[in-house]
Amino acid sequence: MLGKLRRLNQGVSKMALEESERLPSSERRRFLRSGLFTAGGAMVGGALAGIAPRALAATQYPPEIPSWTRTLGSGVVTDPYGVPSPFEKEVIRRNVPWLTADKISSISFTPLQHLKGIITPNGLFFERHHAGRPEIDPQQHRLMIHGLVERPIILSMEDLQRFPSVSQINFIECPANGGMEWRGAQLNSLQFLHGMVSCAEWTGVRLSTLLQEAGIKPEGKWLLAEGADGAAMTRSIPLEKALDDVIVAYAQNGEALRREQGYPIRLVVPGWEGNTHVKWLRRLEVGDKPWMQREETSKYTDLMPDGTAHGFTWVMEAKSVITSPCPEMPLTGNGIHQIEGLAWSGRGKVKAVDVSVDGGQNWQQAQLREPVMSKSLTRFSLEWKWDGTPALLQSRVIDETGYVQPTLTQLIEARGTNSIYHKNSIQTWQVNADGSVVNVQLS
Amino acid sequence: MLGKLRRLNQGVSKMALEESERLPSSERRRFLRSGLFTAGGAMVGGALAGIAPRALAATQYPPEIPSWTRTLGSGVVTDPYGVPSPFEKEVIRRNVPWLTADKISSISFTPLQHLKGIITPNGLFFERHHAGRPEIDPQQHRLMIHGLVERPIILSMEDLQRFPSVSQINFIECPANGGMEWRGAQLNSLQFLHGMVSCAEWTGVRLSTLLQEAGIKPEGKWLLAEGADGAAMTRSIPLEKALDDVIVAYAQNGEALRREQGYPIRLVVPGWEGNTHVKWLRRLEVGDKPWMQREETSKYTDLMPDGTAHGFTWVMEAKSVITSPCPEMPLTGNGIHQIEGLAWSGRGKVKAVDVSVDGGQNWQQAQLREPVMSKSLTRFSLEWKWDGTPALLQSRVIDETGYVQPTLTQLIEARGTNSIYHKNSIQTWQVNADGSVVNVQLS
């Protein structure tokens, strides 16, 4: 046992390293392997409260000082714009080939199973294009504000940056997120089930500032936002919302918007469905009624059981999902685990999240991780001692308006199963005895 | 004039686009160029309060519908891990070739002049390596906690993720940031003068949680943190701080740490000088006194005028800098501008920032941009109408402890000019009549 412990310490003794530096390299190597220099003979052992039992597996520890400590590393600006470690190459956005006819008008999903905290790094922010991702030259791009305004204006991207700016951390979610699941469990993946939501710090100009500059005429009640992509993606937004918390954003997480997110500018319409956050924004028109464009009539409406369609269902109601464990992140052994997840609401702040490990029969209040911000992702966690028997994990969010995330049964009672949008019901993960996790739907 | 306005509108008329879609392509092109279809004939004009006068330059507007609206764009997952637009290729970290002997033990600077909000994207976070950036295999990497503890432990990266985690937004600043400027203005660049500060959302395990697991012996008062890089970078940290707000971080801005930032794990020591945030962390030893390692004796101490050296000057005192305008971001014309900048304090929250446009004779209180968080970057702004005459711009932060950012004269009175570290004095930008901005030092 002591011999093993000495080997354990070989990689970590600074004193020994200094000592060995006085020796020629061949002797140094023998010295480092000798196991005679453990710093204070630290005993490795003790009861670890079940959290890290495998930490003591001596064979897992590198038997000698690893190569990266024995060599010099890469210099600074090896990557002037940095990239992730090659060991993280599986942490990427993914699409579902059969879901859309091609990749041009399609979706990619954020790997929620790998995310920590509440910020989604720009490289992993989910994508939804209606005519592909355009390559826009910001020098050529303009934003026009016209219609029922006193002073129509056309702004260059440079002009836009001369207005007072604000920053806010907001989620964006496609209303189709989870929409394949209305009639039963279809997919066994957190990424593909819920990965059409991401969250960033957005910086830009308040729409109210720009509309004040243009001067809204008294009869102006609605705003049309139009993108410069091949789809000329358009949505009507009531002025009440436009003047509240909407921004024309030119930056996400500190840097210029990514092309997938509307470079050089997009709308950010906090808490509302993703398609209202018009990307590659080129035109804002003030009018007296909604325009009834394609994306708010034939699409992005919710077909009710009686055959009528609800239009303009903008707000993303409160939703939550457990991100660990999940199908991609099974339990690796019984003992103490941290159940973690994300919760959000398009109506404001998350007030509380409950977690059940028995399919909704009993609930415990999870801890909300700071910061808890309005219309932002909020992370929650609950410590759970798993005894190795099957379990049914659920989370249920309550937002500051008192809205409680519904069960699927409740949601179907109200809305039927004709729609694909706004499915925010409680997700159930079934944990099997071997630790694997599968997506199930409870009746 | 009307002809011009029609051309202006050519790029933005949705109705016209729909109309033209019924025509064959050659006719369609002629139609789009005809200028006969302006939507409502919006008048472009009016007084714009001086913010966007150049917005009306009709010749700057694309004369026809731009190519990116007439074609389909790239599909989703064109970049499974996304990258910035090619038009942003100048927004990168940079090093100063003459500052260090090589790039292995060197520094790269964050392009603060391009950043928005408070989050630094991971690809632009400043770098400081003492023996280069190692390539660590997280499966092989271990963290050992030993010394004056009841239960020495060795943790795999997987073990570490089983502990309760926290997220916090904190800046990290190298104490040498701005250190070339003690004896006069040397560099004319915001990036190179102040770019050794960045800010991210860090996620990891509280050090107090891990030390509780190991059990600190009564005589334990200090902690040694050691990196797995070729420098085996080490710093001594008093347990009082270690048990306060320090975390062993495995994620930054939602994803795994970047290699430059310590992948797979680093210390985050909120508010303390960057080198204490030991990267590539492999060992934590509890002891009864500081270890007096190289990086806290021959380096990272402050040489006083009387020849003595102040050691363990950990806290980064409050500092602020105007980021727009700056040498890289000159003023492009007189009229209304937003003076913007960043402020931070290693002792807590920013309480206020004052801005002067006359070299410190008169001060106005700037607006603090939300969120204002402890030991985080905070963005401030002040609207300024520039009359085209030379000006001397300064910012001065006051933190929640009442500490006021000093002038260089005040700082030199207290500390002399022997040190290169902890130079947090007020920065002066001289705005010339042509709008150019230069770094100057006022006596």
Side-chain angles (χ1 to χ4, degrees):
Chain A
M1 180 66 182
L2 253 183
K4 263 189 186 174
L5 289 177
R6 278 173 187 145
R7 279 205 309 283
L8 287 179
N9 283 334
Q10 285 192 23
V12 290
S13 170
K14 183 70 169 58
M15 284 166 58
L17 278 173
E18 283 169 357
E19 182 69 21
S20 73
E21 265 161 12
R22 296 186 211 115
L23 302 170
S25 65
S26 62
E27 284 186 59
R28 186 175 179 229
R29 193 168 172 82
R30 203 161 54 240
F31 177 81
L32 289 173
R33 287 186 161 182
S34 70
L36 292 172
F37 58 89
T38 54
M43 290 298 294
V44 178
L48 289 181
I51 286 186
R54 287 154 305 103
L56 304 179
T59 51
Q60 288 182 6
Y61 199 72
E64 58 183 76
I65 294 177
S67 59
W68 46 79
T69 305
R70 285 184 280 110
T71 53
L72 292 174
S74 319
V76 296
V77 295
T78 297
D79 303 300
Y81 190 94
V83 295
S85 163
F87 290 103
E88 300 294 315
K89 67 179 188 296
E90 294 303 318
V91 183
I92 51 172
R93 302 182 285 213
R94 292 181 172 88
N95 74 316
V96 178
W98 50 259
L99 193 62
T100 52
D102 57 36
K103 291 185 180 176
I104 302 293
S105 177
S106 189
I107 299 153
S108 77
F109 300 82
T110 290
L112 293 179
Q113 67 276 20
H114 292 294
L115 296 193
K116 310 290 179 188
I118 60 168
I119 296 290
T120 308
N122 293 342
L124 298 174
F125 207 100
F126 85 95
E127 301 168 281
R128 171 70 176 108
H129 309 325
H130 291 76
R133 180 191 82 186
E135 293 276 353
I136 296 181
D137 177 353
Q139 294 289 324
Q140 297 294 319
H141 190 68
R142 296 292 183 275
L143 173 63
M144 181 172 186
I145 304 176
H146 70 135
L148 297 175
V149 298
E150 302 295 344
R151 296 171 296 278
I153 50 177
I154 295 174
L155 299 168
S156 70
M157 299 306 95
E158 204 181 308
D159 296 326
L160 205 56
Q161 300 221 6
R162 288 184 65 176
F163 287 88
S165 64
V166 294
S167 298
Q168 50 201 35
I169 295 178
N170 293 126
F171 75 84
I172 298 182
E173 184 180 19
C174 176
N177 202 16
M180 286 83 82
E181 302 284 303
W182 279 100
R183 300 178 196 202
Q186 304 288 323
L187 294 166
N188 199 43
S189 153
L190 173 64
Q191 182 166 9
F192 294 127
L193 272 169
H194 301 288
M196 283 196 274
V197 65
S198 299
C199 186
E201 183 196 32
W202 306 98
T203 298
V205 183
R206 280 200 194 289
L207 198 41
S208 58
T209 304
L210 297 175
L211 291 175
Q212 189 179 15
E213 189 82 9
I216 300 165
K217 289 187 174 172
E219 60 271 34
K221 302 294 176 207
W222 286 78
L223 187 79
L224 184 74
E226 182 184 82
D229 59 329
M233 169 75 191
T234 36
R235 284 300 312 255
S236 304
I237 296 168
L239 271 183
E240 190 183 358
K241 176 69 176 178
L243 295 172
D244 177 17
D245 56 1
V246 177
I247 63 174
V248 173
Y250 43 72
Q252 67 180 120
N253 292 334
E255 64 185 353
L257 291 185
R258 291 295 175 82
R259 290 168 291 179
E260 306 92 292
Q261 296 308 322
Y263 182 81
I265 52 170
R266 80 176 303 166
L267 279 192
V268 172
V269 188
W272 283 25
E273 56 184 28
N275 54 81
T276 61
H277 302 229
V278 174
K279 300 195 281 191
W280 314 294
L281 182 72
R282 71 170 182 182
R283 186 165 74 96
L284 293 168
E285 182 179 349
V286 177
D288 58 0
K289 54 182 181 302
W291 281 256
M292 308 309 283
Q293 293 280 354
R294 173 174 180 272
E295 309 294 353
E296 54 206 15
T297 52
S298 77
K299 288 197 68 175
Y300 300 123
T301 62
D302 296 289
L303 191 55
M304 295 293 110
D306 66 1
T308 62
H310 278 194
F312 301 122
T313 47
W314 300 296
V315 176
M316 299 307 296
E317 301 286 5
K319 183 175 164 181
S320 71
V321 63
I322 291 169
T323 60
S324 177
C326 70
E328 293 96 331
M329 293 289 172
L331 294 176
T332 51
N334 52 17
I336 293 173
H337 293 270
Q338 313 298 320
I339 294 176
E340 270 203 21
L342 292 167
W344 59 98
S345 168
R347 295 200 187 275
K349 289 186 185 181
V350 165
K351 187 177 162 192
V353 177
D354 300 323
V355 168
S356 173
V357 296
D358 56 12
Q361 294 177 56
N362 297 284
W363 296 93
Q364 298 174 72
Q365 193 162 333
Q367 192 187 351
L368 298 187
R369 174 103 47 91
E370 288 295 324
V372 177
M373 285 179 290
S374 184
K375 302 170 190 179
S376 161
L377 293 187
T378 298
R379 192 164 282 269
F380 63 87
S381 62
L382 181 75
E383 196 162 285
W384 177 44
K385 190 163 186 178
W386 185 47
D387 61 7
T389 61
L392 292 168
L393 305 190
Q394 297 184 327
S395 66
R396 177 178 70 184
V397 61
I398 299 97
D399 73 15
E400 64 177 336
T401 70
Y403 177 94
V404 181
Q405 185 180 6
T407 63
L408 182 60
T409 305
Q410 291 169 332
L411 200 60
I412 289 176
E413 273 170 19
R415 306 211 359 237
T417 57
N418 289 333
S419 175
I420 55 166
Y421 302 115
H422 294 280
K423 185 191 168 292
N424 66 322
S425 58
I426 290 169
Q427 169 69 51
T428 309
W429 298 130
Q430 178 180 296
V431 177
N432 298 318
D434 64 358
S436 63
V437 177
V438 293
N439 170 29
V440 294
Q441 284 199 356
L442 300 187
S443 61
Chain B
M1 181 64 183
L2 255 181
K4 262 190 187 171
L5 288 176
R6 279 175 188 144
R7 281 206 306 283
L8 286 178
N9 283 333
Q10 284 192 21
V12 290
S13 170
K14 180 71 169 58
M15 284 164 58
L17 276 173
E18 283 168 357
E19 183 68 23
S20 74
E21 267 160 11
R22 296 186 213 113
L23 302 170
S25 64
S26 62
E27 283 186 60
R28 183 173 181 230
R29 192 168 174 83
R30 204 160 53 238
F31 177 80
L32 291 171
R33 285 186 163 182
S34 70
L36 292 173
F37 58 89
T38 54
M43 290 300 294
V44 178
L48 289 180
I51 286 185
R54 287 154 304 104
L56 304 179
T59 52
Q60 288 183 6
Y61 199 73
E64 58 182 74
I65 294 177
S67 60
W68 46 80
T69 305
R70 287 185 279 108
T71 54
L72 292 173
S74 319
V76 297
V77 296
T78 297
D79 303 299
Y81 190 94
V83 296
S85 162
F87 290 104
E88 300 294 315
K89 66 179 189 297
E90 294 303 317
V91 183
I92 51 172
R93 303 183 285 213
R94 292 181 172 87
N95 73 316
V96 179
W98 50 259
L99 193 63
T100 52
D102 56 36
K103 291 184 181 176
I104 303 293
S105 178
S106 189
I107 299 153
S108 78
F109 300 82
T110 290
L112 293 180
Q113 68 276 19
H114 293 294
L115 297 193
K116 309 290 179 189
I118 60 169
I119 296 290
T120 308
N122 292 341
L124 297 174
F125 208 100
F126 86 95
E127 302 169 280
R128 170 71 176 107
H129 309 325
H130 290 76
R133 180 192 81 185
E135 292 276 353
I136 295 182
D137 178 352
Q139 294 288 325
Q140 297 295 318
H141 191 67
R142 296 293 182 274
L143 173 63
M144 182 171 185
I145 303 175
H146 70 135
L148 296 175
V149 297
E150 302 294 344
R151 295 171 297 278
I153 50 178
I154 295 175
L155 298 169
S156 70
M157 298 307 94
E158 203 180 310
D159 296 327
L160 205 57
Q161 299 221 8
R162 288 185 65 177
F163 287 89
S165 63
V166 294
S167 298
Q168 50 200 37
I169 295 178
N170 292 125
F171 76 84
I172 298 182
E173 184 180 19
C174 176
N177 202 17
M180 285 84 83
E181 301 283 303
W182 279 101
R183 300 178 196 202
Q186 305 288 322
L187 294 166
N188 199 43
S189 153
L190 173 63
Q191 181 166 8
F192 294 127
L193 271 169
H194 300 288
M196 284 197 272
V197 65
S198 299
C199 185
E201 183 196 32
W202 306 99
T203 298
V205 183
R206 279 200 194 291
L207 197 42
S208 58
T209 304
L210 297 175
L211 291 174
Q212 188 180 15
E213 190 83 10
I216 301 164
K217 289 186 174 173
E219 60 271 34
K221 301 293 176 209
W222 286 77
L223 187 78
L224 184 75
E226 182 183 82
D229 60 327
M233 169 74 192
T234 37
R235 284 300 312 253
S236 304
I237 296 168
L239 271 184
E240 190 182 0
K241 176 69 175 177
L243 296 172
D244 178 15
D245 57 0
V246 177
I247 64 174
V248 174
Y250 44 72
Q252 68 179 121
N253 292 336
E255 65 184 353
L257 291 185
R258 292 294 175 83
R259 290 166 291 179
E260 306 92 292
Q261 296 307 323
Y263 181 81
I265 52 171
R266 79 176 304 167
L267 278 192
V268 171
V269 188
W272 283 26
E273 56 184 27
N275 55 79
T276 62
H277 301 229
V278 174
K279 299 195 281 190
W280 313 294
L281 183 71
R282 70 169 183 182
R283 187 164 73 97
L284 293 168
E285 182 178 349
V286 177
D288 58 359
K289 56 183 180 303
W291 280 257
M292 308 309 282
Q293 293 280 353
R294 173 175 180 272
E295 309 294 353
E296 54 206 14
T297 53
S298 76
K299 289 198 68 176
Y300 300 125
T301 62
D302 295 290
L303 191 56
M304 295 292 112
D306 66 0
T308 62
H310 277 196
F312 301 120
T313 47
W314 299 296
V315 176
M316 299 307 296
E317 301 287 5
K319 182 174 165 181
S320 71
V321 63
I322 291 169
T323 59
S324 177
C326 69
E328 292 96 332
M329 293 288 172
L331 295 175
T332 50
N334 52 16
I336 293 173
H337 293 270
Q338 313 299 319
I339 294 177
E340 270 202 21
L342 292 166
W344 59 97
S345 168
R347 296 200 188 275
K349 289 186 184 181
V350 165
K351 187 177 163 191
V353 176
D354 299 324
V355 167
S356 174
V357 296
D358 57 11
Q361 293 175 59
N362 297 285
W363 296 91
Q364 293 172 260
Q365 193 162 332
Q367 192 188 351
L368 298 187
R369 174 103 47 92
E370 289 294 324
V372 177
M373 286 180 289
S374 182
K375 302 171 189 178
S376 161
L377 293 187
T378 298
R379 192 164 282 269
F380 63 87
S381 62
L382 181 74
E383 196 161 284
W384 176 46
K385 190 163 185 178
W386 184 47
D387 62 5
T389 61
L392 291 167
L393 305 190
Q394 297 184 327
S395 67
R396 176 178 70 183
V397 60
I398 299 97
D399 74 14
E400 65 178 335
T401 71
Y403 177 93
V404 181
Q405 184 180 6
T407 63
L408 181 62
T409 305
Q410 291 169 332
L411 199 60
I412 289 175
E413 272 171 19
R415 306 213 358 237
T417 58
N418 290 332
S419 175
I420 56 166
Y421 302 114
H422 294 280
K423 184 190 168 293
N424 65 321
S425 57
I426 291 169
Q427 169 69 50
T428 309
W429 298 130
Q430 178 180 297
V431 177
N432 298 319
D434 64 358
S436 63
V437 178
V438 292
N439 170 29
V440 295
Q441 285 200 355
L442 301 187
S443 61

